[in-house]
Amino acid sequence: MGDWQPVFGPLSPPARRDDAVQRQKLLRLRGRSVAWVPPALLLGGIAAADWNTSGEFRMISWIVLVPGIAAAICGVWGTAVFACLSILTYFVIDRSWSYQYRNGLPDLILVALGSLLAILACVVRVRSERRMLHMLDVAETTRRTVLRPMPAGWGGLDHAAVYLSADSEARVGGDFYDIQPGPRGTRLLLGDVQGKGLGAVEAAAALLGTFREAGFYEPALDMVADRLEVRMLRHVGYRAALGSDDRDRFATGILVGFPQDDRDTVEFVNFGHEPPLVVAADGVRDLPPGHGLPLGLAALTADRPLVLTAVLAPGETLLLVTDGVTEARDANGVFFPLRERVAGALCADPATAEPERLVELVRDGTLRHCGGHLSDDTTIFAVRRRPGEATMGSGRSQP
């Protein structure tokens, strides 16, 4: 099974880039642009109507609408062409009438001025669209850097993930996840940085960078946990030194290890996060919650977070979610019943335990429950061991 690629954005409102793409699709036929058709039809229709009306009711001045329509859907050169055609058509049609029925110079000036303004408006529109697309490309690059794509079977795991950003423009937030193969097995991290905005994205990127190194090199899972805690504290200190109001920043998370030498167990450390569910064809159960504090708050206790161990039988899937799922509410304020929905789906079809189908079920159920209006970033991540494969890559060649 391959990776379910991240899906972005709440159902409402749609991203502006999606609007632009849909508009372009509507204005293309068999790969060719047909944006010129509406203003051309309008130009011809106004000219024909004016030609066939009486002198008491002249319509040719309406031709000023043509460059305005072109400015909304055509490029700059297309708009300029329709502006020139509008002025020329006005002049020819108006001159074809006898002197007493002509609209004359005032309306010609109106058409010329309207054409010039339409060209300027088109220039502004095109530049704004290009700038917007460039910024969204930057956001997409940032997303792929923070939440890197993972190939199918990465680390010996079948995996599927969906990320839904509460901010359809940012397309990336404080939720993070990754899988890192290593010499001692495969490690997995999923978490949620407190807060929103670029500060949360920076903290998530810092934690993922540390996890990708520590998850590969550190021999024990508790050492990976220690590295993550130190990295969070260093990041908060760095941001504070820059004058940012990040002193209270922390992150909840789940760190999971799939040992190389024991394929029937998983190790995990819970940093104040919702415990994962173990989903199998015959039912759902919770992993022990653990009692670790969120990353960045370890100074509040002298106890180190515990590394817990649980049995994970072949074919069982770990389902990890952030609070965008567990705290999603319907119109009556009722929380999304995650465990009940999963258990019900398993009763109807035991194959729902497969990672891709499980993630799709939770995604669709969450969006339906909250009516598509997400109040927080939402991550749904499902993994299970591939049958007959070691849970690691090829040693030190892994990135």
Side-chain angles (χ1 to χ4, degrees):
M1 279 174 243
D3 181 26
W4 187 277
Q5 294 297 325
V7 177
F8 292 90
L11 296 182
S12 175
R16 286 181 295 172
R17 179 171 187 166
D18 295 338
D19 291 342
V21 171
Q22 289 300 323
R23 183 169 65 249
Q24 291 298 323
K25 287 181 178 179
L26 290 174
L27 297 175
R28 299 190 74 84
L29 181 64
R30 296 181 179 179
R32 296 189 177 186
S33 174
V34 293
W36 57 271
V37 173
L41 291 176
L42 182 62
L43 177 65
I46 293 174
D50 186 80
W51 183 267
N52 290 283
T53 55
S54 66
E56 287 77 13
F57 185 73
R58 298 291 310 284
M59 297 180 60
I60 194 61
S61 298
W62 296 11
I63 210 166
V64 72
L65 297 173
V66 173
I69 297 296
I73 60 178
C74 297
V76 176
W77 285 108
T79 302
V81 168
F82 278 108
C84 294
L85 286 174
S86 297
I87 296 172
L88 179 61
T89 303
Y90 175 89
F91 182 80
V92 171
I93 296 294
D94 195 50
R95 294 285 294 181
S96 67
W97 288 83
S98 58
Y99 182 79
Q100 67 269 27
Y101 295 122
R102 292 178 185 174
N103 288 353
L105 183 61
D107 282 3
L108 177 61
I109 294 175
L110 173 65
V111 173
L113 183 59
S115 298
L116 178 61
L117 292 176
I119 295 172
L120 293 176
C122 185
V123 170
V124 173
R125 191 207 93 214
V126 170
R127 286 183 177 178
S128 298
E129 285 188 352
R130 287 176 179 172
R131 187 180 300 112
M132 177 191 68
L133 292 175
H134 173 70
M135 294 304 296
L136 289 173
D137 284 339
V138 172
E140 180 69 9
T141 301
T142 302
R143 179 195 68 80
R144 291 177 65 86
T145 300
V146 176
L147 303 177
R148 62 178 180 177
M150 291 177 286
W154 183 238
L157 301 176
D158 287 328
H159 54 87
V162 165
Y163 174 76
L164 302 166
S165 175
D167 185 348
S168 63
E169 300 297 330
R171 304 179 72 83
V172 65
D175 285 8
F176 56 92
Y177 59 88
D178 202 4
I179 294 173
Q180 180 57 58
R184 294 169 180 82
T186 295
R187 275 77 183 261
L188 176 155
L189 178 66
L190 176 139
D192 181 6
V193 177
Q194 173 267 337
K196 300 181 183 296
L198 292 178
V201 176
E202 290 181 13
L207 289 172
L208 284 173
T210 297
F211 167 72
R212 288 162 185 164
E213 291 301 310
F216 181 85
Y217 287 109
E218 296 296 348
L221 201 65
D222 59 346
M223 299 177 70
V224 180
D226 291 342
R227 290 275 298 274
L228 291 171
E229 174 65 27
V230 171
R231 186 67 182 95
M232 191 67 196
L233 293 174
R234 288 175 56 205
H235 177 77
V236 170
Y238 166 74
R239 294 285 297 169
L242 290 177
S244 301
D245 187 18
D246 280 0
R247 289 182 174 84
D248 297 328
R249 183 83 67 186
F250 61 87
T252 64
I254 292 286
L255 176 63
V256 181
F258 295 84
Q260 174 68 17
D261 55 357
D262 190 350
R263 294 183 51 80
D264 294 327
T265 64
V266 291
E267 302 172 330
F268 62 97
V269 180
N270 191 320
F271 302 105
H273 199 80
E274 189 77 16
L277 295 178
V278 179
V279 181
D282 57 354
V284 183
R285 72 177 192 275
D286 295 302
L287 286 185
H291 303 287
L293 293 177
L295 293 166
L297 302 181
L300 299 178
T301 180
D303 298 328
R304 296 180 65 193
L306 297 176
V307 178
L308 304 177
T309 302
V311 174
L312 189 68
E316 290 186 326
T317 301
L318 277 184
L319 175 63
L320 306 94
V321 300
T322 57
D323 54 11
V325 173
T326 56
E327 296 182 5
R329 302 188 188 208
D330 62 12
N332 299 318
V334 178
F335 290 109
F336 177 62
L338 174 62
R339 180 168 180 162
E340 290 77 7
R341 291 289 178 86
V342 173
L346 287 171
C347 290
D349 183 4
T352 304
E354 296 177 0
E356 289 185 5
R357 296 186 59 177
L358 184 59
V359 163
E360 185 177 2
L361 168 75
V362 178
R363 179 200 62 186
D364 294 346
T366 302
L367 289 174
R368 281 195 298 268
H369 186 78
C370 66
H373 300 283
L374 297 171
S375 59
D376 198 359
D377 296 334
T378 300
T379 299
I380 309 160
F381 200 20
V383 296
R384 71 178 177 187
R385 281 190 173 97
R386 281 196 157 193
E389 291 193 18
T391 53
M392 66 173 289
S394 54
R396 297 186 178 274
S397 65
Q398 291 294 335

